[in-house]
Amino acid sequence: MRRLSQDGSITLFAVIVIVPAVILAVFISEVGTRAMSIALLEHRLRVEVMNMAASFNHKLLEEYGIFGVSEGEKTGEVDVVLSKSLGEQENLKSAILAVGQDQAGVVAVERVLGKLKAIVGYSGEAEEVLDTVNNQVGEIASQSVSSVIGKNLPDINLKEIVQGVWNLATALGENWRTVDWTWAWSQNGQINVNGILEQAKTYFEEIQRWNIKEEATNSVAYTAYVMTYFNWYGHSLSRDAVLPSSEAEYCAFGDTTGSLNIIYSFEEIYKARTAVNFVDYLVTLEIPEPETLVICAAVLALLAATTDVISLMAGNAVPLSPHLEMVETDYEDYLIMFLLMEPSRFVLGRIGDVINMNLKDQGNLTLDKYYIKILAFQDGREYSYEYR
């Protein structure tokens, strides 16, 4: 009986203690194996994603500061999906903003932003001056210009002014002739005083309407990006380009003929310099008769603007305005101003155009074939990476 009792105790102990322990051990082993399997799978997914991320286009990053991966050969073991194409405006926007907010580029743009704000402040007074003279004079006949100049500015030779403009046009090439200059010159080659007055009013009205508050961060970042990664007149980068000397100008004006964008840039500078100089002379010339004052101011403004633009073309700087000689501006400053004043959505779209033109020209994939998000998944597990 005692022996049976002992055997019964052992059996009971096995049922109560040993068997559950074995079951628990098997369960823990299976859980551990499952956990290990999941860990290995997640590791494999992570490795797959990071390997894909490491295969980004180095040239795209080096030349344009943009990260992007393209569809490559798949191993077949792990499913990989690429998304958020750089061809989509919102994704390109994020990429350009990330690069364009680099401090060095932004500081350079903000320096010019201060000069632009100075012109905005000046424009209110300028509009008042122009309104006053506009109310005082009527239509000015072209034949009266020569006689007024002869009496009041005997040292000014109108033919020399015409020759200076012609030299400027020759330097900028044949496309200069495509620009409408009737605001400055009448069809018979006479200075268009009324046109200069109207153009000056238009310029300062546009300056007054400009408002950097809307999308200020985007405008500054896009402009900083363009001036860092793109070519412009007088500044060429050591890379292939469809528009080798006018990528930034294209972003400001949007013409597919590169040389025309340079012409448009200098045309706008010419108008700006004429307007600023014109108002300055209206204020500083001591001529009591309104019509004579307007004619003399217009002629001197056109002469000064021609000299200013030729100087800027040569890479020199000119005063922001004749009475603000301590603040100088160069061609880069004006180009930055044009970019800041252009709607930011247009600038962003043209940034993508420039990059795509160059990629296609070199036989590479375009931006719509590059992606910034990678997702790998298998057996219900996934791992993703997005470049920010």
Side-chain angles (χ1 to χ4, degrees), residues 87-90 92-94 96-97 210-212 214-223 226 230 250-254 338-354:
E88 297 172 15
Q89 191 89 335
E90 201 59 33
L92 180 63
K93 174 182 176 179
S94 299
I96 299 302
L97 284 177
W210 177 73
N211 190 347
I212 189 61
E214 286 190 26
E215 298 188 71
T217 302
N218 291 0
S219 294
V220 171
Y222 295 160
T223 302
V226 169
F230 285 179
Y250 171 79
C251 290
F253 300 102
F338 298 148
L339 287 165
L340 287 170
M341 294 182 71
E342 188 73 0
S344 61
R345 67 184 184 280
F346 292 161
V347 176
L348 175 62
R350 292 165 189 167
I351 288 173
D353 291 344
V354 170

Side-chain angles (χ1 to χ4, degrees), residues 297-367:
V299 171
L300 290 173
L302 207 58
L303 178 61
T306 303
T307 303
D308 290 343
V309 172
I310 290 174
S311 185
L312 290 167
M313 284 180 61
N316 301 318
V318 297
L320 185 63
S321 76
H323 71 281
L324 287 175
E325 294 184 2
M326 72 293 295
V327 182
E328 291 196 326
T329 53
D330 55 20
Y331 178 75
E332 182 180 350
D333 290 338
Y334 283 102
L335 185 53
I336 288 174
M337 290 182 195
F338 298 148
L339 287 165
L340 287 170
M341 294 182 71
E342 188 73 0
S344 61
R345 67 184 184 280
F346 292 161
V347 176
L348 175 62
R350 292 165 189 167
I351 288 173
D353 291 344
V354 170
I355 298 173
N356 276 329
M357 279 190 284
N358 291 338
L359 291 174
K360 287 174 67 176
D361 187 63
Q362 297 160 24
N364 296 317
L365 298 174
T366 49
L367 287 174

Side-chain angles (χ1 to χ4, degrees), residues 63-96:
E63 296 186 350
Y64 303 104
I66 299 176
F67 172 91
V69 296
S70 58
E71 296 277 4
E73 294 184 8
K74 298 180 180 179
T75 61
E77 299 177 1
V78 175
D79 293 311
V80 178
V81 174
L82 299 180
S83 61
K84 293 201 170 182
S85 164
L86 287 170
E88 297 172 15
Q89 191 89 335
E90 201 59 33
N91 298 326
L92 180 63
K93 174 182 176 179
S94 299
I96 299 302

Side-chain angles (χ1 to χ4, degrees), residues 11 26 38 45 92 129 141 170 173 198 219 221 261 272 275 306 317-318 351:
T11 302
V26 171
I38 292 173
L45 294 175
L92 180 63
V129 172
T170 303
E198 288 302 314
S219 294
N261 290 308
T306 303
V318 297
I351 288 173

Side-chain angles (χ1 to χ4, degrees), residues 11 143 173-174 229 235 237 249 266 320 350 358 377 379:
T11 302
Q143 59 266 24
E174 290 297 317
Y229 287 95
H235 174 82
L237 301 172
E249 286 86 351
F266 278 107
L320 185 63
R350 292 165 189 167
N358 291 338
F377 57 93
D379 296 341

